Amino acid sequence: MNKGSTRAKHVDFIIIDFICVLGSMWLAFLIWIPEEEKKLFLNNYQALSLVMVLGYLFAVFFRPVHSGILRRGFLKELEKIILMNIFIMGVLLSYLFVVKITYIYSRMVFGLFFIFDVVFMTITHCIWKKVLIHKYSAYANQSKIMVVTYRKYLDDFLELINSNNQGFYHVVGILLLDDTLQPGEKYIDGIQVITKDGMLEYFRQNVVDEVYIKARKSDASSISNRFLSMGVTVNVTLNVFLSELNNVSLETVGDTTFVKTNINPITLGQQLVKRIFDIIISILGLVFTGLLTVFIAPIIKKQSPGPVFFKQERVGKNGRRFKMYKFRSMYMDAEERKKELMSQNQMQGLMFKMDDDPRITPIGKFLRKTSIDEFPQFLNILKGDMSLVGTRPPTVDEVEMYHLHHMSRLAIKPGLTGMWQTSGRSDITDFEEVVKLDNDYIRNFSLLLDVKIIIKTFGAVLGMKGSK
């Protein structure tokens, strides 16, 4: 079962393969090249190892080398690895032919590299697959999916889904399109059954990563669009015309092919770059957070006795909850006093904002004005709960009041900054405008857009625009 983009979900295998390719290359070099010649040819083989890595990257990006890797048996895995290494050798030989320096390199080194890489990749793939299968078998790590179909197809559809499950996912809900629920019928085979009318409440209270749909074209189209408006990844059997859906890819489960579609067009390369950038920036950000804490913590505690850091449960991707951290900028009774101040809320909709909020401490006003209160969120970014750029992370009580189209904001990880933050932040008083900005970001994602948002964020923070 797919857990996101086929390539993006296997970044771990890409890293393992990188290590195998480079390790095999240099092991072959050390074994075969005489000691007295090693220094002489070291630079040449360094260049060659780079070519091999590029060859591997070509294989990953242009061939589905990791498609279905967790379901592949040993022989199929060995076949894929051999073909991958043949592809790498093809890139290598093409390079040597173009530069015309084949006499420098030993053919035995190439042969040993091929053998070592096949052996190392096979062993490491098998070991890592066992680790992942054990990991994903834990309920918390499983992908949560919903099955959508008619009652007459339900038994066969559930059998299809479950027969291809190796512990990677868990069916958490059933939606019957023909509304054939019997009085008092809440579960089928131990799985909760919901109706179309109960969809919104179910999604508010539960995590759903993907839905799998088997339905007639008219029903499948309408229900797919409804799920997509909520930001959920949708898999539809091929009786829906591909032209009616965006961001389409194909997913095979057993002998049945599904159409996968979602509102976020992010690719493997983009996800990998985005995550690496998040990790690097979050580490640097945490260093600054530590330095700031030394100076800020005593002032926070003096003005309002209590913890230096404020943590609050927020809702992340597809409804996953996490603890978000900030420097505390309010008095300890802020949440209780919020109810008294709701009549002064300046936001139209589900968020709360007001000028001169009396719950904010004097140092808190400075922290918010300069956005320094957000620095502890670099820990959330490092943990993977958030990203540097994304949507605004909503509170639990906000999500409980969401309408269906608001759920689309949960299609990606929330961010430290985003379209909303760089478009006026507190100057925006309509929640629907926040939703529109978040959806614009999700549907039009690109790394260039992330860069533009980060640049705008610096401008907004330095100019203290829209921050209250």
Side-chain angles (χ1 to χ4, degrees):
M1 186 69 60
N2 213 13
K3 290 173 69 62
S5 169
T6 299
R7 297 186 181 95
K9 67 178 181 178
H10 293 311
V11 171
D12 46 359
F13 283 98
I14 294 175
I15 294 172
I16 288 171
D17 291 347
F18 258 101
I19 296 171
C20 288
V21 169
L22 291 174
S24 299
M25 176 67 224
W26 288 108
L27 181 60
F29 173 80
L30 292 172
I31 288 175
W32 191 257
I33 300 300
E35 193 65 35
E36 64 274 10
E37 296 181 7
K38 282 185 171 63
K39 289 185 178 180
L40 180 62
F41 294 108
L42 181 61
N43 290 337
N44 300 102
Y45 279 94
Q46 284 178 339
L48 200 65
S49 63
L50 176 61
V51 174
M52 287 181 170
V53 167
L54 292 175
Y56 169 75
L57 286 176
F58 277 121
V60 169
F61 282 99
F62 294 105
R63 303 180 71 253
V65 295
H66 294 127
S67 177
I69 190 170
L70 295 178
R71 298 192 298 270
R72 293 202 297 243
F74 176 79
L75 292 179
K76 188 67 175 177
E77 187 66 40
L78 181 61
E79 175 190 341
K80 289 285 187 179
I81 289 172
I82 290 174
L83 290 174
M84 184 196 304
N85 277 277
I86 290 174
F87 186 90
I88 294 173
M89 292 298 292
V91 172
L92 176 63
L93 294 175
S94 298
Y95 165 77
L96 295 177
F97 175 78
V98 171
V99 298
K100 299 179 180 179
I101 53 173
T102 54
Y103 65 92
I104 295 176
Y105 301 103
S106 168
R107 285 172 291 182
M108 278 302 299
V109 170
F110 298 159
L112 288 173
F113 161 78
F114 185 89
I115 294 171
F116 291 156
D117 203 36
V118 169
V119 172
F120 291 158
M121 280 191 181
T122 302
I123 293 173
T124 53
H125 281 202
C126 289
I127 293 174
W128 189 240
K129 283 198 289 186
K130 287 185 180 294
V131 171
L132 291 180
I133 289 172
H134 177 73
K135 173 186 174 183
Y136 289 137
S137 62
Y139 179 80
N141 295 324
Q142 291 177 327
S143 181
K144 311 302 188 290
I145 69 171
M146 175 178 288
V147 169
V148 181
T149 188
Y150 311 109
R151 185 178 287 271
K152 65 179 180 179
Y153 297 143
L154 181 60
D155 290 342
D156 290 340
F157 202 37
L158 281 176
E159 183 179 354
L160 168 70
I161 299 294
N162 289 325
S163 63
N164 289 275
N165 184 8
Q166 293 184 334
F168 307 134
Y169 58 90
H170 183 77
V171 180
V172 295
I174 296 170
L175 174 60
L176 293 177
L177 294 173
D178 45 5
D179 294 327
T180 56
L181 284 178
Q182 303 299 320
E185 185 178 28
K186 296 182 178 179
Y187 296 90
I188 296 178
D189 292 340
I191 305 170
Q192 185 174 348
V193 185
I194 64 171
T195 62
K196 292 180 182 178
D197 293 336
M199 276 177 56
L200 177 57
E201 186 60 30
Y202 183 86
F203 275 82
R204 283 174 178 162
Q205 301 296 329
N206 298 274
V207 173
V208 177
D209 294 301
E210 302 185 42
V211 296
Y212 280 75
I213 301 174
K214 183 175 183 179
R216 293 184 296 270
K217 174 189 171 184
S218 56
D219 287 338
S221 296
S222 61
I223 198 71
S224 295
N225 288 328
R226 196 170 183 185
F227 280 120
L228 286 172
S229 71
M230 299 164 64
V232 179
T233 297
V234 177
N235 301 271
V236 189
T237 51
L238 278 174
N239 57 345
V240 178
F241 291 134
L242 301 183
S243 60
E244 296 184 2
L245 301 171
N246 297 319
N247 300 323
V248 167
S249 62
L250 299 183
E251 166 76 3
T252 300
V253 179
D255 58 356
T256 300
T257 301
F258 292 86
V259 177
K260 178 183 289 291
T261 179
N262 56 55
I263 64 172
N264 185 17
I266 188 169
T267 65
L268 162 71
Q270 291 170 330
Q271 284 199 36
L272 183 59
V273 170
K274 188 175 175 70
R275 183 57 186 151
I276 291 173
F277 188 72
D278 281 348
I279 292 172
I280 294 172
I281 296 300
S282 63
I283 292 173
L284 294 174
L286 287 173
V287 172
F288 282 106
T289 303
L291 296 174
L292 289 169
T293 303
V294 173
F295 299 99
I296 294 172
I299 304 175
I300 293 176
K301 295 185 77 69
K302 182 178 180 180
Q303 294 186 354
S304 174
V308 173
F309 298 101
F310 170 75
K311 64 179 181 179
Q312 184 182 47
E313 190 171 43
R314 295 293 182 107
V315 182
K317 184 177 180 180
N318 293 334
R320 287 172 170 79
R321 298 186 181 186
F322 66 96
K323 296 292 185 182
M324 190 185 78
Y325 303 97
K326 287 187 175 185
F327 282 118
R328 184 165 61 88
S329 60
M330 290 186 170
Y331 293 103
M332 293 299 294
D333 60 348
E335 285 301 312
E336 290 76 11
R337 296 174 64 186
K338 179 180 177 181
K339 297 176 183 177
E340 305 170 7
L341 300 170
M342 286 302 295
S343 60
Q344 301 179 55
N345 186 12
Q346 296 172 321
M347 286 292 293
Q348 301 175 31
L350 307 181
M351 292 168 54
F352 179 84
K353 288 284 183 181
M354 67 174 291
D355 292 336
D356 300 319
D357 192 331
R359 301 172 302 157
I360 302 176
T361 62
I363 183 64
K365 293 179 180 179
F366 169 76
L367 295 177
R368 289 189 168 206
K369 195 71 175 176
T370 57
S371 297
I372 291 175
D373 64 319
E374 311 279 356
F375 268 69
Q377 289 174 44
F378 283 114
L379 178 59
N380 292 118
I381 296 173
L382 184 62
K383 290 169 61 179
D385 296 325
M386 296 176 60
S387 182
L388 186 63
V389 182
T391 58
R392 176 189 169 275
T395 61
V396 174
D397 59 340
E398 285 176 15
V399 174
E400 288 176 351
M401 295 186 289
Y402 273 10
H403 298 299
L404 279 176
H405 70 281
H406 297 150
M407 301 297 292
S408 61
R409 301 182 63 240
L410 307 180
I412 63 170
K413 290 181 182 180
L416 179 64
T417 186
M419 297 277 278
W420 173 68
Q421 291 91 329
T422 58
S423 300
R425 295 193 283 179
S426 298
D427 294 335
I428 298 176
T429 59
D430 188 347
F431 177 67
E432 294 299 332
E433 180 65 18
V434 175
V435 174
K436 179 180 181 300
L437 289 169
D438 284 341
N439 279 319
D440 285 346
Y441 172 74
I442 293 171
R443 295 176 184 275
N444 300 292
F445 171 82
S446 70
L447 294 176
L448 180 59
L449 178 58
D450 270 15
V451 172
K452 289 180 179 178
I453 290 174
I454 292 170
I455 293 173
K456 286 185 177 181
T457 299
F458 278 111
V461 171
L462 293 175
M464 298 183 184
K465 297 178 181 178
S467 182
K468 298 179 181 179

